[in-house]
Amino acid sequence: TATVSSGDRSAVYFANQRSLDRQVAIKLFPPDPGFLSSFETIARKLAGLQHVNIVGLLDSGVVEEMPYVVLEFVPGKSLAHSTKGNAVEFEQAMTLLDGICEGLAHAHSKDTVHGGLAPSDILLNQDAEPKIGNFGRLRSGDAGTKPGHFTAPEVLMNPAAASKRSDVYSVAAIFYELVTGSPHGPDAAPPSSRCTSCRPEVDLIWKQATDPDPSKRMADASVFRTALKQAAAGGKAKTPVPVLAVKPAGNTAGNSGGKARSSGGFDWKLVRNFAIIIALLYGVSLAWENLKLAREKRDKENQQVLAKQEAAKEEALAEAARERARELAKT
């Protein structure tokens, strides 16, 4: 195992699942009775999200009152780490938004919302395909929101107000930063004023999707995606802008949307978490070995039983032959 990222509310570890010989990311949360009461329900719901643009949840559980989830490992960086807030080529931004909206649309079809989507929650694999993480905001102590210009205003005021329209706001804000290289905010200028590829129709879609009133936004990510693609149809960049470079980064800080590990090193809690993860992995490995030994023992016992049955059968035949010989001798 190795630490991928850590923060105040969670720590993410890179590990190899020996039983299936695959790489995974393990996200561990500190003890929190309030969070624990809803953790299992959230985990079960998120396990049902199976989509190429969503980081898969493989397993979950609780160890010493600390919840954990086992996630699909994505060998790449987060969108935030890859762009560093800079603009990307317009067509590439549209390709990224297409994948992000596909993932959100799948979640929305399962009545699941993200509630605080940001570039740090989106991982890019080796092919620069986006995969959304942190669904359900698996964080203890709050509803998973984080201040920033990507979170819808109603969610910042009341996390319980998160809806599909809140996710529309977030993805529109992400689109704005991708094509303009500028942070999104209440006073943000229209995209076309900073992006030579954005036509006025794109400005209208962005404005509607980021309206402070949720009821005025598109109903969900699928509707937003369709409207944005129609508005952007035929738009070509007049001047080249930097193209997003995505390189495989192995176990990087972007995985699973965790905060980057601080330069101050580990505290005792993270050391304890690390020890528990090792114990978990050792326990799985030990259980697997015990299962193999049990199977070998059972096979051996079965072979012994079969051998005894065969010997008894041969003895019975021999005894029958001897009895017949005795009868013949009497005659």
Side-chain angles (χ1 to χ4, degrees), residues 65-128:
E65 299 183 350
M66 290 188 297
Y68 71 89
V69 291
V70 181
L71 303 166
E72 168 193 2
F73 181 75
V74 182
K77 300 178 181 180
S78 71
L79 182 60
H81 192 281
S82 297
T83 64
K84 294 181 173 60
N86 296 316
V88 304
E89 195 273 329
F90 182 78
E91 293 299 329
Q92 189 170 16
M94 290 298 297
T95 298
L96 289 169
L97 259 292
D98 197 48
I100 295 169
C101 287
E102 284 274 7
L104 283 176
H106 174 74
H108 290 172
S109 71
K110 303 290 185 179
D111 292 322
T112 300
V113 299
H114 194 285
L117 185 65
S120 59
D121 298 317
I122 301 168
L123 306 180
L124 303 180
N125 62 17
Q126 297 99 320
D127 299 321

Side-chain angles (χ1 to χ4, degrees), residues 79 195 208 276-277 288 331:
L79 182 60
C195 167
Q208 179 185 353
I276 291 175
I277 292 298
W288 179 253
T331 61

Side-chain angles (χ1 to χ4, degrees), residues 230-289:
Q230 290 176 347
K236 300 295 182 180
K238 298 178 182 179
T239 57
V241 294
V243 175
L244 171 62
V246 180
K247 299 179 180 179
N251 51 328
T252 64
N255 205 2
S256 300
K259 299 178 182 178
R261 184 180 61 183
S262 65
S263 59
F266 298 105
D267 58 21
W268 68 269
K269 291 184 179 180
L270 291 182
V271 173
R272 182 190 63 176
N273 293 349
F274 186 73
I276 291 175
I277 292 298
I278 292 178
L280 276 172
L281 295 176
Y282 175 75
V284 172
S285 176
L286 185 61
W288 179 253
E289 292 299 328

Side-chain angles (χ1 to χ4, degrees), residues 79 97 100 117-119 122 150 169-178:
L79 182 60
L97 259 292
I100 295 169
L117 185 65
I122 301 168
F150 301 106
Y169 181 101
S170 296
V171 75
I174 292 172
F175 167 75
Y176 182 89
E177 183 171 292
L178 285 175

Side-chain angles (χ1 to χ4, degrees), residues 296-310:
E296 291 174 358
K297 181 180 179 181
R298 183 182 61 196
D299 291 342
K300 185 177 180 180
E301 291 175 347
N302 288 339
Q303 290 175 359
Q304 290 175 346
V305 171
L306 291 174
K308 289 180 179 180
Q309 290 176 346
E310 187 64 26

Side-chain angles (χ1 to χ4, degrees), residues 135-155:
F135 260 101
R137 311 310 303 167
L138 282 176
R139 298 173 184 269
S140 60
D142 59 19
T145 61
K146 51 189 174 183
H149 45 270
F150 301 106
T151 305
E154 71 272 12
V155 179

